[in-house]
Structure formats: structure tokens, C-alpha cells
Amino acid sequence: MRKNQTIPMEILQNLQFNLQPQSFALSVGEALNKLFAMPLMEISWGLRDGENFPVYCYQKLDGQGSSSLFDRQTKNSLAKELIDDEAAFVIEDFTEENDEMIEVRKAYLMGAEQLIVLPLFDRLGVNGFLNLYLSDKTEAAYWETLFSQLCPLASASLTFSKKLNKTATASRRAWSELRDLQNENSIRGAKPFIRESSAMNELWTQVCILAPRLSEFWIIGTPGSGRELCARHIHARSGSVSKRLEVFDCASIPIDIHYSEIFGEDNSGLWYKLNGGSLYIKNIELLDPKVNAKIIEKIKTDIRLNTEAKNIIISSQSENLNNPLKKHFENAAITFPNFNDRRDDWLWLLRELVAEIANNIGVAILEITPSFTQYIMQQNWSDDFSEIREFLTKSLISSRGRTLKVPSLNEGENQSKAGRPPANLDSSVQQQIIKALRKCKGKVYGSDGAASLLGLHASTLQGKMRKFNLIAGDFKK
Ligand SMILES: Nc1ncnc2c1ncn2[C@@H]1O[C@H](COP(=O)(O)OP(=O)(O)OP(=O)(O)O)[C@@H](O)[C@H]1O
């Protein structure tokens, strides 16, 4: 990229005087596309059919000009694809109401290396901002030059200069925040933590404060709420990111081998192999009491060898934990809000959950339609994740295609409550459960069990098995 190149006047004029938001962004994109001969992407958002529902318009400026509607997550993953393709940048126009932190998060989710916020202006002043999400191939210095060239040309109106100062500060803040967020990228196996809702944002703040300071953590939340992901982020932020995190799920490992697995006879257990890493003990309610006693002894000893576990993270479903470990961990109790208090996360979580469940049951899904997203957003789901997961599993099974649909719309309309798909789905669900049980030879629990294969919580699967009169033992052979 040419660092000191000046921007031709006609391009700056384009930037300055095209005022219709849609055509504005397009002409900016086209102009820059011509100038740098790079693939670009323009994304904007608005209302669909007058409904208050965010829809993104995606446009790849490849000379053809194509456009279609996607939800926010799809748009972000498309943007990411483009960046992975070594495209230089992605442009998004947005209104001044947008919060720069949301923009920074988007940049992060797209995998961009830098974010520059440019003001858009007309003769009256700023009418919006334009984000440049830059891949690491792009030279920031060049863009800073571009930025400084654009600004002096702006209207001298007071409104503009005030806004501009605000933007410059926002941009600086955004940069450093982005760098922080990108540290998350170095976490092996940890996906970005969705926290658009204020309840989850609070939880995240707690994680950021506690993780570097303590060694014992207690995560409280219902199955599927994100406890394991949270444990991975604690691990990453505790200064142990280059070390291992080992997950020990008490629900899938027989109680009689808990002690030997964790501590072993001659210090041969997991505990002594972590080299300063983290041990995450999931479903602590089911842990062998002998292990509790040994962990307490270890915590009290205070000195741990470099070869031993540095962080111990436990999780339980509720804070009413009848376990002696409780009092040693309650200083760092992190409680997940219930599903309904995370409504602002739903749009983002949906894609994660669909991808995870689709992967578990071996279904390929490429597109979640806006109508599906809208349907999900409008329902009253139960406070834990069981109902939404069950619904998504059924939807994935019944969609049988690349587009995820609400199962049988007509019957869906008669549904009295969300998550209660029509009865004709039962037989296909039953078939899937039978298949999974056969494949896992009747094993329900554990990473190689049928529940995990189906993307269901084990207790949900057991409920289904009772309903369909299926007995695990019948599938052993
Ligand atoms: N805040 C979040 N950000 C990103 N993904 C999330 C978040 N919360 C939950 N998920 C997604 O939900 C799914 C379940 O998360 P996770 O396995 O961490 O939950 P859990 O509470 O440990 O559940 P279980 O005990 O059933 O395994 C994963 O696909 C995870 O990515």
C-alpha cells in the first residue's frame, strides 16, 4: 500500500457530497475500490418491512453488485471470511447513535486487527461515521494519513468539530480496547465471550477483575449457560494462558475413579501434570468427597510446585452447594444470569448454539434466516438453556437443509408455547435418539455419550428416553 499517496479530489468529493446513506456508502466503497483495487464489502443496517428488527444488507463490491439480507451474526462471519481472504478492509456505515464499544466488538468478532472510525459529513456537519475494520495486511499509518486528509476538508461547522473530537477520542479508546480484546484470541480453544447484555457484561467485568488475582474460582450456572467457556476465559486471563486447562466433568466420570484421576496414588494424577495450568472441575456436586478433602488440604498448604495445578475452577448448578469446598471458593463466586436476563445476547448466542448442536448431530447448516432469528427473539423461553437447545435440536433435525427453518410453520402457529414443536416431529426425534444410542452403545453421559452426540443435556435426553420408553441397556450390543 502506498503510504503517502494523496487522495484524488473526485474521491473526496464523493465522500463529501453524496448524502443518501445507502448510495453514500456505495459510492465511498466504489471510489476506494477503484483507488486501491481491493475487494471491499459494504454493510449497512436498517428496518425490514417497517418492523423493528435489525437486518444487515451485505454487498460485495466485486463489480457485479449483489445484495441480500442477513442477520448480524451471518454478516459478521461473512466479514470475517472476507478479511481471512486477505481483503484489505470492511466498511460499515452507522449512525452516530452507535456505541463505539459495539463497533469494537464487531471488529474483534470479524478478526480485524485495527479499527478506524471516520466521520461522514455533509455541508451541515457530521451525518454519521464510517468504520474501517482493517486486516493486519493494512498499514495503519496510511489510514491515519487518509483520516487526517479527510478531516480538514470537512465543514468547519461547530457541530462537526465537536463531533470530530469526540470521534478521535472514541477511536483512540477503541484501538486500545481492541488490543485488549484481541488478547482473547490467544486463548487456545476459547471462543469470544458474548456479553451484549448488561447482566453478562457485569459477569465479564467480574471475570476480568478476579482472574488475574485469585487461584480458586466457583462458577454457578445451569447446564449450557456457558460455564466451561467462562472457565476457559478465567484460565486465559489468570496469566496461565500458555499452560494447559484440563476439564474434569464429574457427571461423566465414575465416582470411584475421581480420586485416582485427579490425584493418583503416587502423585500421578492430573493435578501434578498441569505445570501451572488450570483444573476445571465441572458439576462439583457429584465429586467424590475424598477429593474435596484433598483439594482443601492443597489450598491450605499455600505452596504449590510449578508442576502442579495453579488455578482450580469449580462449577455447580446452584449456589446452594452442600460441599465443604464452598467456603474456600465463595470469594470468587461467579453467578450466571438466567437465559431471559440475557436477551440482548440472544442474537449472538443463536449462531453459537446452532453451530454447536449442528456439529454434535452432524448436520450442516449454512444459513439462519432472518425469520428464524425473529421467531427465536419473540418467544418466551424458559430461564435455563434446556428449552431453547431442545427447540434448536428439533429445528435442525427437521430442516434437513442448508437453511434453518422454524419447524412446520402452520403447526408452529398453533403452538401454545415456544419450544413445543409439533407432534409429528416426535417420531424423527425418536429416530435420532435411537440412532445416537446405537452409535454410543447405550452410553448417555460423557463426551462419547449419546447426549453429547445429540447436543442435549444428559438429563434432557433421559427425559426423552423415558417418554419414548427407551432403555439404555437395550443398546449395549
Ligand atoms: N457468553 C457466551 N459467549 C459465547 N458462547 C456462549 C456463551 N454462553 C454460552 N455459549 C455457548 O453455549 C454453549 C454451551 O456453553 P458451555 O459448554 O460453556 O456451557 P456449560 O454451562 O459448561 O454447559 P454444560 O455443562 O452443559 O457443558 C457453547 O456452544 C458456548 O459457546
Side-chain angles (χ1 to χ4, degrees), residues 210-217 238 304 310-313 329 332:
L210 298 178
R213 294 177 175 82
L214 300 175
S215 299
E216 286 88 35
F217 307 89
S238 69
R304 270 183 232 155
K310 174 175 164 280
N311 304 305
I312 301 98
I313 309 165
F329 283 76

Side-chain angles (χ1 to χ4, degrees), residues 45 72 94-106 115 117 129 131 133 166 170 173-174 196 201:
W45 75 288
R72 192 187 200 185
F94 65 106
T95 66
E96 50 193 290
E97 278 130 44
N98 277 25
D99 176 346
E100 81 263 17
M101 284 315 301
I102 293 177
E103 302 309 317
V104 171
R105 256 202 88 60
K106 278 191 213 157
L115 164 69
V117 182
F129 299 97
N131 277 3
Y133 300 107
K166 192 173 154 230
R173 279 227 308 273
E196 301 294 321
N201 217 9

